[in-house]
Amino acid sequence: MGRREERVFRLNDEIRSLVRDEELAAEELIMLQHLDDDAQRDAATYDQPMDRADAKETSGDVDRMAQHIENLERDRKRLERKRDRLIRRLTSGVAE
């Protein structure tokens, strides 16, 4: 097996890992959104400083997790493009 083939396999492993990380982060985001919904409702209902602080914190958690998911997706897509370029090189090299 050549270096390019090995690189494709390594890229596939990295992509699989990022997909799994995206899935876990998406599940965590759902949980954070539920917590944020509760905190926002409490802040609006009771209008207490502690409830408002909790609502601000949970809102930040949701934003950070959403950004994390976007970063994971961006990294995965970059690796997929890289892998696809390598595969094209491999297949064009075989046809020659």
Side-chain angles (χ1 to χ4, degrees), residues 16 18 77-78 85 88 91 94:
R16 261 192 303 277
L18 286 172
K77 287 180 177 182
R78 180 183 51 82
R85 281 193 307 271
R88 280 193 300 277
T91 56
V94 170

Side-chain angles (χ1 to χ4, degrees), residues 38-83:
D38 291 344
Q40 298 301 325
R41 185 178 52 250
D42 288 349
T45 303
Y46 303 114
D47 196 32
Q48 297 295 315
M50 189 170 187
D51 291 329
R52 288 192 302 272
D54 286 345
K56 184 177 179 180
E57 183 178 336
T58 59
S59 178
D61 292 342
V62 168
D63 292 342
R64 281 187 293 280
M65 185 56 67
Q67 183 61 50
H68 178 62
I69 292 170
E70 287 178 23
N71 293 340
L72 289 169
E73 181 180 13
R74 184 196 64 232
D75 292 345
R76 176 183 48 80
K77 287 180 177 182
R78 180 183 51 82
L79 290 177
E80 288 171 341
R81 286 190 302 273
K82 186 175 183 177
R83 178 202 56 198

Side-chain angles (χ1 to χ4, degrees), residues 26-43:
E27 291 172 13
E28 188 169 345
L29 177 60
I30 291 168
M31 181 205 55
L32 290 171
Q33 288 169 329
H34 287 298
L35 292 173
D36 185 48
D37 288 344
D38 291 344
Q40 298 301 325
R41 185 178 52 250
D42 288 349

